[in-house]
């Protein structure tokens, strides 16, 4: 049967294309289904001339198609050419709407009504999703498009843009330069749009360059055969129906995330998390036999990884016993271990030994180990020190480590084989709270933060196990280092984790309550109503607790507590806690002392209302999640910009701080400069994992940055910029005598990469901006010093 | 936390300078030279050498300020030392002269030194007073924000005048086109607004357009309020009122911007005396030293 293939590959991105390439090379009967009319749509949509990087550098490429770092055009041209040479069988405009059946007998339906049958299916549709269509007859006419690549391509046309988001507004604005543009909004306002876009839109409306139809939707699209325009659209508006002649319709209605479609094929996801990936075997096979998932959809967003998987998945389908391309890398990683086992056996041993990794599927576990470091420290070696800012997670495969839980007495506890440590730094994003020493014959796995967070997001069971231990250890180290763990079991079992959104109130002044909150991530403010307004009195970072007054007997809350940023607390009930205090009078005294210190600090803040205002101002600038922030005292700043010049001179010509930009209050100015967040937003979605936090706390971007700009758009504080780094710095004397400035790179097309403040980690002596300030106006401080700053002012 | 360069390390350099000054004065009083006090006595040479070395070191501040990799103290510490030790030179240099002044290169060197120090003191004063004034005048705005708002007002105004026609349209558009800010040093420091505008002037029965001054948009406001007072059309009056509100806001922003440029200029202008005078001092100092040794 003509329409029956050994393998159907859905999606022609790097993963799908590479799979099709391998299938074609091996003469396997195959078809590559692509919903558009060109290969690799996501890469096509990169901006013109974009430099594409080939990360991760350590991973070799295994594919029938070439791939190396280079311009978008070169890469696409090479793939196109190879796809032809290999005779890949591509079916264009084949938008798959359903997949059913199982190994040996799959049926795929396309939107155009075509049926394709196959023994195996490889799903490589990426994460972009399909654009949401207009949903009216005529939505697939050639003059209806769901994307705009180059607005300057169109001149003197009558164009209708549909949508209320930023992409619709931006398209309408760009097109209005050379065309007559109408914009259709289903509602009566543009609620989701950025402030800047709204302003430009208002302006364009005022000037009559864009006509907006509010409360309107498309009812019908009719093609015109004569007249000046290609079609006529009937709109249903608040005032009845309106006919608008058009030459082109651009609909920007967002995309339908692929998850619903994937689930409709019978594939299971482990949970509802937004970034959850389907459960797969190490051969990329889903729970539906014969249905394979590779590429970004499987959780591998990098081009090279995706291409390797494309190659491997075809080999697996053919039953070839090939070792994954990372086999040698793992062998190298394991070479120093005292096990004398092959790669697969070592992986199995680690997974069996380490309790919290038990529930992880084997493909994900392999990835985890690949991204982790193996350590065999000598007895007594320091694994990490108290107050380090590292945030990786450690598991003990063999032997044990010792944790110093009381610096004063040097008291240590042992963590043995199969257990883990380092979870506090990982979860709170703050400094390590204890020093850890290696025990005898110990073998450790150090897993980076990002890998761990990805695992926690996709494996509920792992998260549950880690949370349980976290609560136990947090209570033990904070309140009862001298109690045995058994003594704490009542308290631990009754404790629970709670999440709060920014601004959410944990408890309000005047309420009654007897719970104590130990902050495990994020931060809180304590405020009171004074003279008819709310005044912020203090700031509570992760690792500290609030609400102890309620536990000590006074159940009426004397202040309100509010989350500054996304915050998680361990909530303890009064009953078991009081029982603990009764057993330990020393602890009771300690809790009372802390309470007294807090009350005293609050009283002194109440005495100066301006101080509270300044503290609220700092919190409003998002400094509640900062670890180190540059603050300028405007009454000392002579606006000489030596801070910016110093920064640019020591960082390849681009200043990472903008002195003038940013808000001020009571002569304290918060310039636009990185504040090294506890949980850096920039790290959220960095494909090559180039952003990390140093042991001393700085968040830095490494040289393997691919210049994708994700961090720039993820940073809510606008402190990351894309810049060409390099050029030449004139000598000191030519700067002193002739005012010579940094020479930029001459090549305009040189790749841009993300740059931000790195706190001058590579410079001895600390941040250049602060050291270059002649008047003492610039300082870098941590949030713990805010109260001091406020009192000083 | 924040602390001025004047109180750096508890005013350490102030005390160093004070000790230097007091010991020089004591030595001067105690010293009984043959004849009148002179730069040529052993004390005179000592004071002269110390002062000359100090002058050379003080000029090195300009180098240290730009040596961003240097770990030799902080720029703030250097500025603190620069100010206090520089101030002490006034005493050291004068004692070195033995109060012998005349029309010669030696007194010229002394005079230049005094001018450099006085200009420096003025610098300390502006660094102490002006930052706060600038902050107050800025009132939470940055220059970029002000310019953006002005551009926004101009855009709105040019849309409104389309509905008004002549002469409002020509006046408003010309006021936008003939808008000027900043300019040379003099204009910056005096805070003068050189913006101009085209207005209709009637000469007998003939009407023609002439260009006149429009400082902080005042002339435009005068013309618009004139038009409004004569307007009998309610729709026109509403548009004129809207325009006047916008231009008033622009006038306020202009005043703010002019004051900002002026304050910033005043805070920097002393350096244009301090540095050239320092260069002149170095040259004269060299001549003074060479001539002294030559005629010895």
């Amino acid at each position: 049967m003509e329409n029956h293939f050994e393998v159907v590959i859905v999606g022609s991105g790097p993963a799908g294309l590479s799979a099709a390439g391998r299938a074609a090379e091996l003469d396997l009967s195959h078809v590559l289904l692509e919903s558009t009319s060109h290969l690799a749509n996501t890469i096509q949509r990169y901006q013109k001339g974009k430099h594409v990087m080939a990360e991760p550098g350590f991973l070799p490429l295994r594919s029938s198609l070439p791939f190396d770092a280079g311009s978008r055009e070169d890469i696409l041209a090479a793939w196109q050419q190879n796809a032809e040479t290999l005779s890949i069988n591509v079916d264009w405009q084949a938008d798959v709407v359903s997949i059913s059946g199982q190994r040996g007998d799959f049926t795929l339906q396309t939107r155009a009504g075509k049926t394709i049958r196959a023994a195996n299916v490889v799903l490589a549709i990426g994460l972009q999703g399909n654009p949401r269509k207009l949903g009216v007859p005529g939505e697939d006419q050639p003059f209806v498009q769901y994307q705009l690549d180059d607005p300057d391509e169109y001149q003197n046309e009558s164009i209708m843009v549909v949508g209320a988001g930023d992409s619709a507004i931006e398209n309408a604005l760009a097109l209005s330069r050379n065309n007559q543009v109408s914009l259709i909004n289903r509602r009566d306002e543009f609620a989701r749009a950025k402030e800047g876009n709204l302003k430009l839109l208002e302006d364009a409306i005022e000037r009559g360059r864009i006509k907006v139809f509010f409360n309107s939707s498309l009812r019908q699209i009719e093609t015109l055969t004569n007249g000046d325009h290609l079609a006529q659209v009937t709109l249903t508006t608040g005032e009845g129906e309106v006919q608008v002649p058009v030459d082109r319709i651009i609909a920007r209605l967002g995309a339908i995330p692929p998850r619903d479609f994937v689930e409709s094929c019978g594939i299971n996801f482990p949970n509802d998390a937004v970034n959850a990936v389907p459960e797969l075997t190490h051969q990329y096979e889903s729970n539906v036999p014969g249905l394979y998932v590779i590429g970004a959809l499987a959780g591998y967003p990098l081009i090279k990884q995706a291409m390797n998987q494309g190659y491997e998945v075809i080999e697996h389908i053919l039953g070839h016993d090939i070792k994954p391309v990372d086999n040698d890398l793992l062998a190298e990683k394991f070479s120093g271990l005292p096990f004398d086992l092959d790669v697969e056996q070592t992986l199995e041993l680690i997974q069996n030994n380490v309790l919290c990794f038990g529930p992880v599927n084997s493909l994900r576990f392999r990835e985890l180990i690949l991204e982790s470091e193996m350590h065999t420290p000598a007895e007594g070696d320091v694994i990490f020190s108290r107050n380090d800012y590292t945030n990786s997670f450690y598991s003990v495969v063999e032997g044990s480590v010792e944790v110093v839980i009381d610096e004063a007495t040097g008291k240590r506890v042992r963590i043995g084989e199969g257990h883990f440590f380092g979870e506090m730094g990982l979860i709170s994003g703050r400094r390590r709270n204890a020093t850890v020493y290696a025990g005898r014959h110990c073998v450790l796995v150090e897993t980076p933060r990002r890998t761990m967070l990805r695992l926690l997001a996709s494996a509920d069971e792992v998260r549950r196990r880690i949370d349980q231990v976290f609560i136990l250890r947090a209570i033990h180290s904070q309140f009862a280092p001298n109690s045995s763990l058994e003594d704490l079991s009542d308290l631990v079992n009754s404790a629970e984790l709670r999440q709060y959104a920014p601004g959410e109130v944990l408890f309000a002044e005047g309420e009654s309550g007897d719970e104590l909150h130990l902050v495990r991530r994020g931060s809180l403010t304590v405020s009171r109503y004074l003279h008819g307004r709310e005044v912020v009195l203090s700031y509570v970072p992760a690792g500290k607790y609030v609400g102890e007054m309620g536990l000590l007997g006074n159940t009426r809350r004397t202040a309100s507590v509010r989350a500054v940023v996304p915050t998680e607390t361990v909530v303890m009930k009064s009953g078991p806690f009081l029982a603990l205090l009764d057993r330990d009078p020393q602890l009771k005294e300690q809790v009372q002392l802390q309470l007294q210190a807090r009350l005293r600090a609050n009283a002194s803040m109440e005495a100066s209302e301006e101080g509270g205002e300044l503290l609220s101002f700092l919190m409003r600038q998002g400094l509640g999640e900062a670890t180190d922030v540059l603050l300028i005292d405007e009454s000392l700043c002579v606006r000489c910009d030596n801070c910016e010049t110093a920064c640019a001179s020591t960082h390849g010509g681009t200043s990472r701080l903008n002195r003038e930009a940013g808000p001020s209050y009571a002569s304290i100015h918060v310039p636009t400069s990185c504040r090294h967040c506890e949980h850096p937003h920039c790290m959220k979605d960095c494909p090559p994992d180039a952003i990390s936090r140093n042991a001393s706390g700085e968040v830095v971007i490494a040289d393997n940055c691919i210049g994708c700009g994700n961090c720039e758009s993820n940073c809510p504080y606008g402190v990351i910029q894309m810049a060409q780094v390099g050029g030449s710095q004139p000598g000191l004397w030519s700067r002193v005598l002739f005012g010579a400035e940094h020479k930029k790179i001459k090549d305009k097309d040189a790749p841009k990469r993300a740059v931000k403040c790195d706190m001058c980690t590579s410079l001895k002596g600390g941040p250049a901006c602060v050291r270059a300030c002649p008047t003492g106006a610039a300082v870098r401080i941590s949030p713990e010093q805010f109260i001091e700053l406020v009192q000083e002012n | 936390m924040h602390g001025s360069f004047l109180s750096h390390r508890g005013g350490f350099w102030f005390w160093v300078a004070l000790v230097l000054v007091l010991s020089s004065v004591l030595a001067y009083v105690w010293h009984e030279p043959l004849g009148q006090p002179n730069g040529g006595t052993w004390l005179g040479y000592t004071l002269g050498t110390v002062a000359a070395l100090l002058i050379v070191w003080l000029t090195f501040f300009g180098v240290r300020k730009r040596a961003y990799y240097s770990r030799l103290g902080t720029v703030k510490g250097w500025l603190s030392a620069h100010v206090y030790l520089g101030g002490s030179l006034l005493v050291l240099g004068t004692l070195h002269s033995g109060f012998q002044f005349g029309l010669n290169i030696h007194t010229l060197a002394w005079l230049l030194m005094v001018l450099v120090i006085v200009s420096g003191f003025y610098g300390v004063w502006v660094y102490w007073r002006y930052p706060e004034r600038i902050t107050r005048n800025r009132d939470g705005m940055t220059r970029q924000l002000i310019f953006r708002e002005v551009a926004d007002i101009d855009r709105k105004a040019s849309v409104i005048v389309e509905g008004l026609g002549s002469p409002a349209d020509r006046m408003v558009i010309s006021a936008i086109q003939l808008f000027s800010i900043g300019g040379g040093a003099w204009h910056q420091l005096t805070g003068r607004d050189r913006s101009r505008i085209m207005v209709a002037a009637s000469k007998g029965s003939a009407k023609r357009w002439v260009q006149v001054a429009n400082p902080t948009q005042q002339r435009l406001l005068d013309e618009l309020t004139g038009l409004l007072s004569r307007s009998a059309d309610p729709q026109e009056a509403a548009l004129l009122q809207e325009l006047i509100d916008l231009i008033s806001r622009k006038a306020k922003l202009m005043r703010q911007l002019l004051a900002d440029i002026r304050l910033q200029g005043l805070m920097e202008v002393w350096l244009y005396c301090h540095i050239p005078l320092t260069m002149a001092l170095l040259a004269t100092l060299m001549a003074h030293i060479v001539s002294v040794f030559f005629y010895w």
Side-chain angles (χ1 to χ4, degrees):
Chain A
M1 197 165 139
E2 197 190 9
N3 248 0
H4 195 286
F5 300 93
E6 193 54 39
V7 54
V8 170
I9 299 135
V10 187
S12 74
L17 186 61
S18 177
R22 184 61 182 159
E25 197 174 41
L26 296 176
D27 273 335
L28 192 65
S29 91
H30 72 281
V31 64
L32 175 61
L33 304 180
E34 169 54 47
S35 66
T36 69
S37 51
H38 45 250
L39 294 174
N41 192 39
T42 304
I43 316 280
Q44 292 275 3
R45 278 158 65 175
Y46 284 178
Q47 71 193 60
K48 276 184 197 158
K50 181 182 163 71
H51 185 84
V52 181
M53 310 266 190
E55 289 298 320
F58 63 84
L59 195 70
L61 176 73
R62 184 197 255 176
S63 175
S64 311
L65 289 106
F67 173 60
D68 215 340
S71 76
R72 159 191 173 273
E73 286 72 15
D74 289 349
I75 289 166
L76 288 171
W79 285 350
Q80 184 65 41
Q81 195 199 339
N82 274 268
E84 282 161 22
T85 331
L86 288 165
S87 308
I88 295 178
N89 177 26
V90 193
D91 200 348
W92 303 110
Q93 308 277 7
D95 189 4
V96 176
V97 290
S98 78
I99 301 174
S100 56
Q102 48 178 292
R103 191 193 307 284
D105 185 26
F106 280 103
T107 307
L108 292 87
Q109 293 285 346
T110 69
R111 190 174 295 279
K114 202 165 165 185
T115 305
I116 299 150
R117 299 167 76 83
N120 298 283
V121 177
V122 175
L123 206 51
I125 56 175
L127 286 172
Q128 297 283 335
N130 288 326
R132 196 166 267 130
K133 301 245 168 153
L134 284 167
V136 292
E139 63 175 18
D140 286 322
Q141 293 284 354
F143 55 82
V144 179
Q145 57 194 62
Y146 294 89
Q147 169 188 346
L148 177 65
D149 291 325
D150 182 7
D152 295 333
E153 217 176 291
Y154 311 108
Q155 311 272 344
N156 304 320
E157 289 190 11
S158 179
I159 302 179
M160 175 177 280
V161 180
V162 188
D166 283 312
S167 42
I169 297 177
E170 280 161 18
N171 286 177
L173 288 169
L175 288 165
S176 71
R177 283 198 295 266
N178 303 318
N179 303 281
Q180 205 187 346
V181 176
S182 53
L183 181 59
I184 314 299
N185 184 353
R186 220 150 39 87
R187 303 183 186 282
D188 58 358
E189 57 170 350
F190 291 92
R192 284 181 288 127
K194 278 187 216 146
E195 192 70 18
N197 277 337
L198 277 180
K199 237 182 169 152
L200 292 171
L201 180 63
E202 269 170 30
D203 217 63
I205 296 171
E206 228 168 72
R207 292 173 161 220
R209 296 207 331 213
I210 295 179
K211 178 163 177 51
V212 181
F213 291 89
F214 287 103
N215 291 319
S216 304
S217 53
L218 272 71
R219 202 174 69 75
Q220 193 181 313
I221 304 166
E222 289 165 278
T223 316
L224 299 177
T225 44
N226 46 19
D228 294 341
H229 297 287
L230 283 177
Q232 175 164 292
V233 176
T234 308
L235 292 175
T236 314
T237 71
E239 288 107 44
E241 289 196 347
V242 179
Q243 256 87 33
V244 185
V246 298
D247 298 309
R248 190 171 303 281
I249 300 174
I250 295 176
R252 302 308 304 267
L253 305 166
I256 307 162
R259 177 161 174 164
D260 287 347
F261 169 70
V262 176
E263 282 179 324
S264 76
C265 303
I267 296 175
N268 293 339
F269 281 77
N271 57 35
D272 290 334
V274 184
N275 50 358
V277 294
E279 284 169 5
L280 303 172
T281 68
H282 68 272
Q283 298 184 324
Y284 315 116
E285 194 170 8
S286 70
N287 57 302
V288 180
L291 181 50
Y292 296 80
V293 180
I294 54 172
L297 183 61
Y300 301 88
L302 292 170
I303 296 175
K304 206 197 282 178
Q305 284 175 329
M307 291 182 76
N308 288 351
Q309 290 181 348
Y311 181 99
E312 286 163 15
V313 78
I314 295 297
E315 298 289 330
H316 291 317
I317 288 173
L318 289 172
H320 296 167
D321 178 27
I322 62 154
K323 287 199 161 47
V325 70
D326 54 32
N327 205 65
D328 292 348
L329 295 170
L330 283 171
E332 170 81 32
K333 214 174 258 283
F334 295 154
S335 60
L337 302 185
F339 295 143
D340 196 25
L341 299 169
D342 71 15
V343 166
E344 301 303 326
Q345 289 166 325
T346 312
L347 281 169
E348 205 179 312
L349 172 95
I350 299 173
Q351 190 162 20
N352 286 341
N353 277 17
V354 180
L355 299 173
C356 73
F357 291 147
V360 184
N361 88 44
S362 60
L363 189 62
R364 200 131 288 296
F365 184 69
R366 190 181 185 97
E367 191 70 19
L368 181 136
I369 294 297
L370 200 60
E371 288 171 12
S372 302
E373 291 290 324
M374 306 298 300
H375 298 287
T376 50
E379 187 177 358
D381 280 0
V382 174
I383 312 291
F384 55 71
S385 303
R386 186 180 147 85
N387 289 337
D388 273 2
Y389 244 124
T390 49
N391 45 26
S392 50
F393 177 89
Y394 290 83
S395 327
V396 186
V397 180
E398 229 180 48
S400 64
V401 296
E402 291 192 342
V403 182
V404 181
I405 54 165
D406 190 340
E407 284 291 313
T409 60
K411 189 178 173 198
R412 298 180 178 194
V413 291
R414 212 173 136 263
I415 291 182
E417 184 176 312
H419 292 280
F420 57 83
F421 59 97
E423 76 287 352
M424 297 253 184
L426 174 77
I427 292 168
S428 72
R430 298 183 68 84
R431 296 171 189 275
R432 299 284 192 192
N433 62 350
T435 303
V436 178
Y437 293 95
R440 196 182 295 185
H441 303 309
C442 90
V443 177
L444 305 174
V445 183
E446 179 187 3
T447 311
R449 172 182 184 272
R450 183 174 91 138
T451 310
M452 242 4 246
L453 292 182
R454 214 166 44 205
L455 178 68
L456 292 179
S458 57
D460 289 340
E461 183 55 24
V462 177
R463 194 180 52 218
R464 206 185 56 75
R465 289 185 190 191
I466 291 177
D467 278 347
Q468 223 171 13
V469 174
F470 179 95
I471 294 175
L472 174 70
R473 288 186 184 161
I475 293 175
H476 187 241
S477 66
Q478 185 73 236
F479 298 109
N482 298 320
S483 309
S484 74
L485 295 180
E486 290 76 43
D487 281 351
L488 296 174
S489 64
D490 276 356
L491 184 55
V492 169
N493 291 336
S494 70
E496 57 178 279
L497 289 173
R498 265 187 228 157
Q499 280 90 26
Y500 297 92
E504 199 175 337
V505 175
L506 279 70
F507 53 79
E509 189 177 346
E511 275 179 11
S512 66
D514 61 355
E515 289 171 339
L516 179 139
H517 293 259
L518 174 61
V519 187
R520 83 165 192 161
R521 67 167 286 175
S523 56
L524 307 169
T525 53
V526 178
S527 56
R528 294 194 62 189
Y529 264 96
L530 294 170
H531 322 298
R533 335 189 261 130
E534 190 168 4
V535 177
V536 175
L537 300 176
S538 66
Y539 156 84
V540 185
K544 296 272 168 35
Y545 55 86
V546 286
E548 67 276 29
M549 226 159 146
L551 285 183
L552 294 172
N554 184 354
T555 55
R556 182 159 294 270
R557 300 293 192 188
T558 55
S560 300
V561 172
R562 203 185 284 275
V564 180
V565 289
T567 299
E568 239 176 45
T569 64
V570 178
V571 185
M572 278 165 269
K573 305 274 184 238
S574 78
F577 195 81
L578 286 176
L580 177 71
L581 291 190
D582 285 342
R583 279 201 302 274
D584 188 348
Q586 219 180 328
L587 174 63
K588 186 165 187 174
E589 197 180 330
Q590 184 195 318
V591 172
Q592 277 165 342
L593 275 177
Q594 160 132 9
L595 176 61
Q596 192 191 351
R598 189 204 305 282
L599 292 174
R600 202 184 304 138
N602 286 359
S604 85
M605 282 293 289
E606 281 177 28
S608 87
E609 269 180 47
E610 270 185 11
E613 293 286 333
L614 178 56
L615 195 57
S616 315
F617 162 75
L618 295 173
M619 291 300 138
R620 280 200 304 279
Q621 305 319 314
L623 298 184
E625 60 176 333
T627 63
D628 191 289
V629 60
L630 177 65
L631 293 179
I632 292 177
D633 184 341
E634 285 193 330
S635 64
L636 293 174
C637 174
V638 295
R639 281 77 169 172
C640 65
D641 281 337
N642 208 34
C643 46
E644 282 189 19
T645 318
C647 183
S649 300
T650 48
H651 293 92
T654 307
S655 173
R656 283 102 201 273
L657 77 103
N658 184 339
R659 178 194 58 76
E660 200 187 350
S664 309
Y665 180 83
S667 92
I668 295 296
H669 176 62
V670 186
T672 303
S673 165
C674 179
R675 57 277 298 283
H676 305 273
C677 300
E678 282 170 355
H679 295 277
H681 302 269
C682 53
M683 278 190 198
K684 230 180 272 170
D685 185 17
C686 174
D689 203 6
I691 310 179
S692 62
R693 164 162 252 142
N694 287 340
S696 38
E698 310 84 14
V699 176
V700 293
I701 305 178
D703 288 340
N704 58 337
C705 166
I706 58 172
C708 67
N710 284 0
C711 52
E712 185 194 22
S713 47
N714 280 336
C715 173
Y717 308 112
V719 302
I720 300 183
Q721 38 180 326
M722 308 305 293
Q724 294 174 335
V725 181
S728 58
Q729 173 75 357
L732 177 61
W733 284 102
S734 50
R735 281 186 285 131
V736 172
L737 297 177
F738 310 111
E741 288 179 358
H742 187 94
K743 282 198 193 76
K744 297 244 177 219
I745 298 182
K746 284 192 188 128
D747 177 11
K748 271 192 212 147
D749 298 326
K752 286 187 173 182
R753 39 167 300 191
V755 296
K756 65 178 276 296
C757 163
D758 60 359
M759 292 240 273
C760 297
T761 34
S762 54
L763 293 187
K764 288 181 179 160
C769 52
V770 173
R771 285 190 303 134
C773 177
T775 61
V779 292
R780 295 209 71 111
I781 62 171
S782 69
E784 284 84 354
Q785 293 167 286
F786 285 168
I787 298 288
E788 205 183 314
L789 174 86
V790 164
Q791 283 166 348
E792 197 178 81
N793 274 269
Chain B
M1 232 152 284
H2 294 114
S4 163
F5 60 94
L6 293 174
S7 51
H8 178 72
R9 283 176 64 196
F12 175 79
W13 293 107
F14 168 78
W15 296 109
V16 171
L18 192 67
V19 167
L20 196 60
V21 166
L22 288 179
S23 47
S24 313
V25 171
L26 280 177
Y28 188 86
V29 172
W30 165 80
H31 182 54
E32 285 175 4
L34 298 168
Q36 71 178 122
N38 189 299
T41 65
W42 70 263
L43 179 66
Y45 272 126
T46 310
L47 286 170
T49 311
V50 171
L53 289 176
L54 260 180
I55 289 174
V56 173
W57 176 80
L58 286 165
T59 53
F60 256 81
F61 176 70
V63 178
R64 173 62 187 88
K65 197 183 133 189
R66 291 169 180 84
Y68 301 117
Y69 289 96
S70 171
R71 283 192 287 142
L72 200 61
T74 60
V75 175
K76 179 186 166 192
W78 270 68
L79 181 59
S80 190
H82 184 85
V83 166
Y84 289 117
L85 293 181
S88 74
L89 254 186
L90 208 49
V91 176
L92 262 67
T94 308
L95 293 180
H96 165 69
S97 76
F99 299 95
Q100 294 183 35
F101 300 114
L103 280 175
N104 51 40
I105 187 91
H106 317 299
T107 302
L108 179 63
W110 175 85
L111 185 70
L112 282 170
M113 180 195 79
V114 172
L115 289 176
V116 170
I117 296 171
V118 169
S119 66
F121 280 162
Y122 172 73
V124 172
W125 184 78
V126 294
Y127 274 18
W128 177 46
R129 302 294 299 175
Y130 276 52
E132 222 165 333
R133 288 192 194 176
I134 291 178
T135 305
R136 229 177 310 137
N137 176 60
R138 285 264 182 103
D139 197 20
M141 299 278 274
T142 62
R143 276 191 196 181
Q144 203 193 357
L145 284 177
I146 294 179
F147 277 121
R148 212 182 287 165
E149 195 177 336
V150 168
D152 208 43
I153 289 174
D154 287 348
R155 217 160 32 216
K156 284 184 180 148
S158 36
V159 172
I160 292 175
V161 290
E162 278 174 25
L164 280 172
S166 190
D169 58 352
R170 182 146 187 205
M171 287 193 292
V172 169
I173 302 297
S174 69
I176 294 172
Q177 283 165 347
L178 299 172
F179 162 82
S180 154
I181 193 95
W186 181 248
H187 289 111
Q188 290 192 27
L189 293 178
T190 51
R192 256 190 59 208
D193 184 350
R194 292 179 301 152
S195 296
R196 299 179 73 79
I197 185 174
M198 300 292 287
V199 293
S202 44
K203 199 173 180 186
S205 59
K207 253 195 173 179
R208 59 189 188 88
W209 288 86
V210 289
Q211 211 187 79
V212 294
N214 181 29
T216 60
Q217 306 297 310
Q218 199 48 52
R219 180 62 190 258
L220 176 58
L221 280 172
D222 291 347
E223 296 288 337
L224 291 175
T225 45
L227 285 178
L228 179 58
S229 67
R230 292 190 293 276
S231 173
D233 175 356
Q235 204 180 344
E236 186 192 63
L239 286 176
L240 279 169
Q241 186 58 58
E242 202 180 330
L243 207 50
I244 289 169
D245 293 345
L246 279 173
I247 304 299
S248 306
R249 171 72 186 158
K250 181 172 171 181
K252 192 225 157 213
L253 292 171
M254 292 326 308
R255 281 194 292 273
Q256 210 177 346
L257 203 52
L258 287 168
D260 190 56
I261 291 172
R262 197 176 71 90
L263 289 168
Q264 181 95 32
L266 286 173
M267 199 165 64
E268 283 165 13
V269 72
W270 67 275
L271 274 171
Y272 290 89
C273 301
H274 193 68
I275 309 267
L277 282 171
T278 304
M279 292 302 138
L281 168 61
L282 278 181
T284 327
L285 184 66
M286 197 69 89
H288 159 67
I289 293 169
V290 169
S291 68
V292 164
F293 282 99
F294 190 74
Y295 290 113
W296 192 29

